Amino acid sequence: VQLQASGGGLVQAGGSLRLSCKATRMISSTFWATAFNWYRQAPGKQRELVAGNSADGSKMYEDSVKGRFTTSRDNAKKTVYLQMNSLKTEDTAVYYCNARGPNIDYWGEGTQVTVSS
């Protein structure tokens, strides 16, 4: 299984980006039963959980991104998304996709998001 993250880039403050994370070589039933999380790590800081998308459809968000970020999943495409609006300079980080479930803990390589002022 591989998690292919994409969609990062350079954007001005106030702008938007949508990150995608596609689970390749993961069978559909496993994807449906797996929670997908988005983490980020800024330079000199610890990796932090930004948003989570559980198999049952429940979602969670870190306080600083509530109201600005939205995570979703497309089970047919085996892809999860992180829509990021009203971006701030403090959102600058490498964003990682994580798949977690019974006996599963996969990480994508990360995609850089840079927000300029």
Side-chain angles (χ1 to χ4, degrees), residues 24-79:
T24 60
R25 297 195 294 272
M26 180 181 279
I27 62 175
S28 295
S29 58
T30 300
F31 185 90
W32 301 336
T34 298
F36 287 86
N37 305 305
W38 288 96
Y39 286 78
R40 67 184 179 188
Q41 187 166 19
K45 294 188 176 181
Q46 289 188 332
R47 190 172 297 188
E48 64 174 352
L49 177 62
V50 175
N53 196 328
S54 298
D56 65 2
S58 60
K59 301 173 185 179
M60 62 74 60
Y61 298 95
E62 193 269 331
D63 285 346
S64 69
V65 308
K66 284 180 181 177
R68 300 189 298 122
F69 289 13
T70 303
T71 183
S72 60
R73 61 194 293 159
D74 185 330
N75 287 340
K77 294 182 179 179
K78 298 181 207 174
T79 301

Side-chain angles (χ1 to χ4, degrees), residues 97-116:
C97 176
N98 165 247
R100 190 162 296 161
N103 301 312
I104 290 174
D105 189 11
Y106 299 119
W107 290 86
E109 290 189 353
T111 183
Q112 176 71 47
V113 171
T114 302
V115 184
S116 64

